[in-house]
């Protein structure tokens, strides 16, 4: 079965919870997982594990991936956080370093790779699926991340199939479930995507068909994708619906 993951926007306003849940409800029939970000670009948002727990209580039929910034936690805090998520039905955790804004320092105890190595030995979180974020397409870096044998991995943004094929070839040695970003390029999302990729990103005439066509190519090499369209969640819904028909 193909894994389709919808990336939610960060929950930055807690007076907006019901509309946030309505957005989740509009996409869950077309995807297998919901990915909940946590304080992207070092801008505070509601904790992803707690938001994921809230989503699971409302929508028990969808899997949640909670993003965890290891820069914010020591070993005790990270273990406690995941234990709390497991109690509430959140099984999937994407471990990443996390962006650091001006005046913000990192807790130095863990990196994403050492966090996975540590958590593997913690009996209290034995039921958790531990994923890792891959934020570079350098071969040595990719090998370092995959060598800890995460349950899954998610890739940073790229529009380059050569980047993705390189990852797929390296992964033959490790056999980890890796999910690239399927970027949905619209008039609303293109500017943010371009800023992250540091390049001009033209908007296709038909963004949904463009995304579906790229998904077909990506799914030749990977077991799934995560749909991302910064600032345009409706585009994610449209592409998820179209992909579900295709798949």
């Amino acid at each position: 079965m193909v894994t389709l993951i919808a990336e939610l926007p960060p929950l930055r306003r807690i007076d907006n919870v019901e509309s946030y849940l309505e957005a989740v409800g509009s996409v869950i029939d077309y995807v297998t997982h919901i990915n909940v970000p946590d304080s992207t670009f070092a801008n505070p948002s509601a904790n992803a594990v707690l938001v994921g727990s809230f989503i699971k209580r409302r929508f028990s039929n969808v899997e949640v991936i909670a993003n965890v910034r290891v820069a914010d936690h020591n070993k005790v805090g990270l273990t406690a956080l995941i234990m709390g998520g497991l109690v509430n039905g959140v099984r999937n955790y994407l471990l990443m370093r996390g962006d650091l804004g001006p005046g913000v320092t990192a807790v130095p105890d863990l990196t994403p790779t050492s966090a996975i190595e540590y958590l593997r030995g913690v009996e209290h979180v034995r039921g958790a699926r531990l994923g890792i974020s891959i934020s570079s397409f350098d071969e040595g870096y990719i090998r370092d991340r995959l060598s800890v044998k995460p349950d899954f991995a998610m890739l940073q943004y790229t529009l380059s199939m050569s980047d993705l094929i390189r990852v797929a070839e390296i992964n033959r040695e490790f056999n980890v479930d890796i999910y690239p970003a399927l970027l949905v390029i619209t008039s609303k999302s293109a500017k943010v995507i371009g800023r992250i990729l540091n390049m001009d990103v033209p908007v296709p005439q038909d963004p949904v068909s463009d995304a579906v066509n790229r998904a077909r190519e990506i799914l030749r090499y990977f077991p799934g994708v995560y749909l991302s369209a910064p600032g345009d969640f409706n585009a994610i819904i449209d592409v998820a619906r179209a992909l579900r028909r295709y798949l």
Side-chain angles (χ1 to χ4, degrees):
M1 180 180 179
V2 172
T3 298
L4 287 182
I5 304 165
E7 181 180 74
L8 292 180
L11 179 56
R12 301 204 192 277
R13 294 181 57 89
I14 60 174
D15 59 354
N16 197 29
V17 173
E18 281 306 315
S19 62
Y20 195 81
L21 290 175
E22 287 174 8
V24 176
S26 65
V27 78
I28 58 170
D29 288 339
Y30 312 115
V31 298
T32 58
H33 295 69
I34 295 291
N35 184 54
V36 186
D38 191 3
S39 299
T40 55
F41 305 116
N43 294 320
S45 61
N47 179 275
V49 176
L50 296 179
V51 173
S53 299
F54 193 47
I55 290 171
K56 284 294 292 183
R57 288 184 177 274
R58 181 70 66 92
F59 306 105
S60 59
N61 60 327
V62 68
E63 286 290 323
V64 167
I65 300 172
N67 293 190
V68 178
R69 293 163 42 95
V70 298
D72 297 335
H73 302 284
N74 60 25
K75 291 179 178 179
V76 173
L78 179 63
T79 303
L81 181 68
I82 293 178
M83 287 175 65
L86 289 170
V87 167
N88 286 283
V90 178
R91 298 191 310 125
N92 308 285
Y93 299 87
L94 180 70
L95 302 176
M96 59 185 63
R97 178 179 179 270
D99 299 315
L100 299 177
V104 178
T105 58
V107 178
D109 292 30
L110 297 165
T111 65
T113 52
S114 68
I116 288 180
E117 291 171 331
Y118 163 70
L119 291 168
R120 293 290 190 213
V122 178
E123 183 178 356
H124 302 81
V125 299
R126 197 62 58 82
R129 295 186 71 250
L130 304 174
I132 200 163
S133 173
I134 296 178
S135 58
S136 167
F137 292 98
D138 173 77
E139 180 174 344
Y141 170 89
I142 295 166
R143 287 185 177 278
D144 180 62
R145 292 277 165 136
L146 296 181
S147 66
V148 295
K149 289 296 183 76
D151 294 301
F152 65 97
M154 295 174 71
L155 303 182
Q156 74 165 19
Y157 284 8
T158 184
L159 290 170
S160 167
M161 278 305 302
S162 62
D163 284 343
L164 298 182
I165 292 170
R166 184 184 316 120
V167 175
E169 289 175 346
I170 295 169
N171 189 44
R172 290 175 183 171
E173 178 182 342
F174 301 99
N175 198 31
V176 173
D177 289 338
I178 298 179
Y179 306 118
L182 177 63
L183 299 175
V184 186
I185 303 168
T186 70
S187 58
K188 293 181 179 179
S189 69
K191 186 174 181 179
V192 177
I193 293 171
R195 187 166 70 244
I196 293 170
L197 295 178
N198 194 28
M199 60 184 288
D200 291 329
V201 177
V203 178
Q205 185 173 358
D206 185 343
V208 173
S209 294
D210 172 73
V212 169
N213 289 335
R214 284 186 285 111
R216 289 173 176 169
E217 180 70 10
I218 293 170
L219 292 172
R220 293 174 54 199
Y221 301 93
F222 298 94
V225 293
Y226 72 95
L227 281 63
S228 183
D232 196 351
F233 191 72
N234 285 333
I236 289 179
I237 299 170
D238 292 340
V239 171
R241 185 186 296 117
L243 283 173
R244 183 52 62 194
R245 288 196 300 266
Y246 163 68
L247 299 172

